[in-house]
Amino acid sequence: MDFLKAIGNEFTGFWGLGGFLEIIRSGNYGKFLTYEGMVSLLVPLTPLLLLFEIIRAAFYKRFKVIHYKISFFTYVLNAFVGRVISIAMIGLCIKWFLPIAIFKTTFTWYWFIYGYIIWEFAHFIYHYLAHKVRLLWCLHSTHHAPETMNLSVTYAHFFLEGPYADLIRTSICILLGVNPAMLFVIMFIDGTWGAMIHVGENVIQDGRLGFLNNIILTPSHHRVHHARNVVYMDTNFCNLLNIWDRAFGTYYPEDRNIPIEYGISRPMIKNSFLDAYFGEIVALAKDVYRAPGIKNKFLYIFMPPGWSHTGDHKMTSVVRKKYFEELDKEKPKPVL
């Protein structure tokens, strides 16, 4: 009975309606104007929009259960493990680094702007490393494995990725003076928008969102990030403010003439949850086992995905450079 109760609580918890229903039951509707009330309204937004996305896809006969398989099983596997570890990691980082912070800020609007810019920087660092360090890519690749884009993809993460992400992001923010209470508000906003940018074409076909595409990171930018097209690989690492992508040269807008192909570049077993979840770990283990010498074994772990001890590198930087060189050769030469 306890197990069934836990399953039931997890199911109801998925929809995030607890806070909303509690305010309704209390009859104190004025609470909806408080921060707590706004959270209770925003938390159910992602799962309800996912439901709408599924219903709309089914109405237009585009719904396929297989498109949600990897995300669903990943969510189920992570539900009772990853969340607890991630919350504990945030608490520990605050405890460890708050006493040695360079300076401390207060919860005011101007420090909030500062805090959000620092948060985006920390998110960029975590996300960039997740693509550029082979071991960390093993944790992050599960999120990129689905070959379609829909809101369920926001739940597809290896259970250790959350704790690793929060270790990097929380540590940087706390050390650079972001107020802990303010940090939790920023995390909530970032998490809400981070889910929204996974919205699929079944809900929003053109993810550029008009003029917003020039101001913030939109679903269009994030679709580019999830693409395995060579031209799009390893771009758009930010979450809401794309200032750091622009600063570090990883910003890339969607080209509507280039259809996005979702997924990862490694050949995968079609729609396999186990391959999506553990495939990169298995591939890394095989490379480490076969590599000659201790040095090469360590390099396989910490160099970018695609690095090879033979020199036949398939790293994104190498592949993209070759792609653009070939593209440049194909351009017609000016007639003198």
Side-chain angles (χ1 to χ4, degrees):
M1 287 299 293
D2 288 340
F3 175 74
L4 292 176
K5 185 178 179 181
I7 295 293
N9 289 339
E10 189 60 38
F11 177 78
T12 54
F14 171 79
W15 300 101
L17 293 169
F20 175 80
L21 294 175
E22 188 176 327
I23 293 176
I24 293 294
R25 281 194 291 265
S26 71
N28 184 9
Y29 304 126
K31 278 189 176 181
F32 284 123
L33 299 176
T34 65
Y35 171 71
E36 180 187 346
M38 291 178 185
V39 169
S40 73
L41 291 171
L42 288 173
V43 167
L45 190 59
T46 300
L48 291 175
L49 194 54
L50 171 59
L51 180 63
F52 171 73
E53 183 179 63
I54 292 172
I55 293 171
R56 194 169 189 275
F59 180 80
Y60 287 104
K61 298 181 180 178
R62 292 196 295 260
F63 175 73
K64 294 181 181 178
V65 174
I66 204 71
H67 290 166
Y68 298 84
K69 175 185 173 183
I70 292 173
S71 301
F72 172 75
F73 282 112
T74 303
Y75 174 81
V76 171
L77 184 63
N78 293 352
F80 303 102
V81 183
R83 190 183 309 156
V84 175
I85 300 175
S86 188
I87 292 171
M89 184 60 70
I90 294 170
L92 286 173
C93 287
I94 292 173
K95 179 181 178 181
W96 291 336
F97 298 115
L98 189 59
I100 58 172
I102 297 172
F103 64 97
K104 294 182 173 69
T105 61
T106 54
F107 202 150
T108 55
W109 66 268
Y110 46 88
W111 282 122
F112 184 84
I113 294 172
Y114 166 80
Y116 214 108
I117 292 172
I118 295 300
W119 167 264
E120 279 288 8
F121 174 70
H123 180 86
F124 179 92
I125 296 297
Y126 132 71
H127 206 173
Y128 184 84
L129 291 176
H131 281 252
K132 296 298 185 182
V133 176
R134 179 86 181 270
L135 178 62
L136 301 180
W137 171 247
C138 289
L139 307 184
H140 188 56
S141 63
T142 300
H143 185 58
H144 281 263
E147 295 185 334
T148 55
M149 178 58 76
N150 57 69
L151 278 167
S152 73
V153 176
T154 195
Y155 300 106
H157 289 278
F158 193 83
F159 81 99
L160 287 176
E161 185 182 12
Y164 148 67
D166 288 321
L167 172 64
I168 297 292
R169 295 182 299 196
T170 307
S171 300
I172 291 174
C173 287
I174 295 299
L175 284 171
L176 293 180
V178 179
N179 180 277
M182 187 165 64
L183 179 60
F184 281 110
V185 175
I186 291 171
M187 284 180 169
F188 174 72
I189 296 170
D190 184 80
T192 302
W193 184 250
M196 292 298 104
I197 57 178
H198 291 91
V199 67
E201 288 87 348
N202 285 322
V203 176
I204 302 175
Q205 190 160 12
D206 186 348
R208 292 176 293 182
L209 304 185
F211 74 94
L212 290 176
N213 204 58
N214 298 317
I215 303 172
I216 61 173
L217 191 139
T218 62
S220 170
H221 291 118
H222 204 62
R223 289 171 188 176
V224 165
H225 175 73
H226 273 261
R228 64 182 174 208
N229 309 61
V230 174
V231 68
Y232 289 149
M233 290 168 67
D234 283 4
T235 58
N236 300 344
F237 293 105
C238 290
N239 209 49
L240 174 60
L241 309 175
N242 54 36
I243 53 174
W244 296 110
D245 279 311
R246 293 179 184 273
F248 293 117
T250 54
Y251 173 77
Y252 205 96
E254 179 184 1
D255 185 340
R256 298 290 285 179
N257 296 315
I258 303 176
I260 293 176
E261 299 173 16
Y262 296 109
I264 60 178
S265 56
R266 172 180 64 83
M268 287 183 60
I269 301 171
K270 196 73 173 175
N271 298 312
S272 168
F273 160 68
L274 290 177
D275 193 25
Y277 206 85
F278 299 108
E280 287 297 320
I281 297 174
V282 172
L284 173 59
K286 287 180 179 178
D287 283 340
V288 171
Y289 177 75
R290 294 167 182 163
I294 296 296
K295 178 182 176 181
N296 285 318
K297 293 182 187 298
F298 272 100
L299 286 174
Y300 268 112
I301 294 172
F302 297 108
M303 289 297 284
W307 181 88
S308 173
H309 72 279
T310 65
D312 182 25
H313 303 306
K314 298 292 190 299
M315 297 177 291
T316 299
S317 57
V318 174
V319 174
R320 290 189 89 225
K321 182 182 178 183
K322 185 177 179 181
Y323 172 84
F324 285 115
E325 286 175 351
E326 293 295 326
L327 205 64
D328 193 52
K329 287 179 184 177
E330 293 174 6
K331 290 180 180 178
K333 303 298 180 185
V335 179
L336 299 176

